[in-house]
Amino acid sequence: SAVISQKPSRDICQRGTSLTIQCQVDSQVTMMFWYRQQPGQSLTLIATANQGSEATYESGFVIDKFPISRPNLTFSTLTVSNMSPEDSSIYLCSGHQGNQETQYFGPGTRLLVL
Amino acid sequence: DQQVKQNSPSLSVQEGRISILNCDYTNSMFDYFLWYKKYPAEGPTFLISISSIKDKNEDGRFTVFLNKSAKHLSLHIVPSQPGDSAVYFCAPLSTGNQFYFGTGTSLTVIP
């Protein structure tokens, strides 16, 4: 299994600013993902964080709005850029180890944009 | 396009009784299905899974049933305990290792 931590756990931000969320895994994972859970909604996949290359974004999500880095097998960042109140959500990262079918999730980052 | 639906947003069950959570999907390419459990302010945690080659998988109090022809799966919890109160997500896995989460069912087990 893998233990995943995220920083910050929560934040309140002003519109127009940007926030970078960090995700740290305690062991190497082959794949890392970023999800969003808006109020009353399910988890929606934003992108797959690829090590050493550009992330793969799902429909409706773009790199300019959600730039992602993954410099190594245990760390990734998601930036929420030029925030608006609609970006208020919980952002979760997850890791998948290639020989297992499960994903392990971080505790999430609660973001409120005023 | 919601590929995974959990039509019951909430469910209340008496302690000791059976809890049945349902999930329907539309994509016939899904070949592995997982259930996740989520407490408030925590990330989802893996609960139980089933491969498309099976129709049932059991782990203690938790059993998952899969009906591929109907594109339907269900999670049974017997007996239900107050600590089971949480939001449960059905999550089919596609061949690209992408998860598609259902909308979730909030289970409340009443002592």
Side-chain angles (χ1 to χ4, degrees):
Chain A
S1 65
V3 177
I4 300 180
S5 59
Q6 287 183 231
K7 287 195 298 187
S9 59
R10 58 179 64 223
D11 207 342
I12 301 173
C13 300
Q14 297 296 321
R15 70 169 68 210
T17 63
S18 298
L19 175 72
T20 295
I21 303 168
Q22 298 180 2
C23 177
Q24 180 73 54
V25 191
D26 71 343
S27 58
Q28 291 185 353
V29 290
T30 52
M31 302 181 78
M32 293 182 74
F33 304 92
W34 285 96
Y35 288 85
R36 178 173 75 180
Q37 185 180 19
Q38 293 180 302
Q41 303 292 320
S42 183
L43 287 80
T44 302
L45 180 63
I46 297 172
T48 303
N50 300 309
Q51 191 218 346
S53 65
E54 191 172 289
T56 304
Y57 290 84
E58 295 299 300
S59 175
F61 298 96
V62 295
I63 187 171
D64 290 345
K65 176 65 176 178
F66 297 101
I68 288 170
S69 78
R70 191 181 173 194
N72 56 53
L73 291 174
T74 63
F75 185 78
S76 178
T77 66
L78 168 75
T79 299
V80 186
S81 303
N82 189 23
M83 288 184 284
S84 66
E86 291 72 32
D87 294 319
S88 298
S89 184
I90 300 173
Y91 292 85
L92 300 107
C93 77
S94 71
H96 174 256
Q97 293 176 323
N99 60 343
Q100 298 183 35
E101 298 292 350
T102 59
Q103 282 191 15
Y104 302 95
F105 284 83
T109 296
R110 291 179 175 270
L111 171 62
L112 176 63
V113 184
L114 302 177
Chain B
D1 178 23
Q2 187 68 37
Q3 298 191 53
V4 185
K5 291 183 180 178
Q6 293 174 251
N7 290 322
S8 298
S10 63
L11 176 68
S12 291
V13 174
Q14 286 289 133
E15 180 178 4
R17 297 288 191 98
I18 185 171
S19 296
I20 300 176
L21 295 89
N22 294 304
C23 176
D24 295 291
Y25 61 96
T26 57
N27 191 336
S28 58
M29 297 301 291
F30 293 145
D31 57 6
Y32 200 81
F33 304 84
L34 300 91
W35 284 92
Y36 279 82
K37 178 178 176 181
K38 185 179 185 302
Y39 293 115
E42 295 183 12
T45 55
F46 170 72
L47 185 60
I48 192 170
S49 63
I50 188 167
S51 167
S52 60
I53 63 174
K54 294 184 177 181
D55 54 18
K56 177 183 175 181
N57 187 29
E58 193 171 351
D59 183 3
R61 297 186 295 114
F62 303 91
T63 303
V64 56
F65 296 92
L66 174 63
N67 183 333
K68 278 198 71 177
S69 60
K71 295 190 179 66
H72 176 84
L73 65 158
S74 61
L75 173 68
H76 293 209
I77 306 173
V78 178
S80 301
Q81 299 174 354
D84 296 328
S85 297
V87 178
Y88 291 79
F89 292 99
C90 159
L93 178 66
S94 76
T95 52
N97 275 335
Q98 291 181 337
F99 282 69
Y100 294 86
F101 282 84
T103 47
T105 296
S106 178
L107 173 66
T108 301
V109 180
I110 304 165

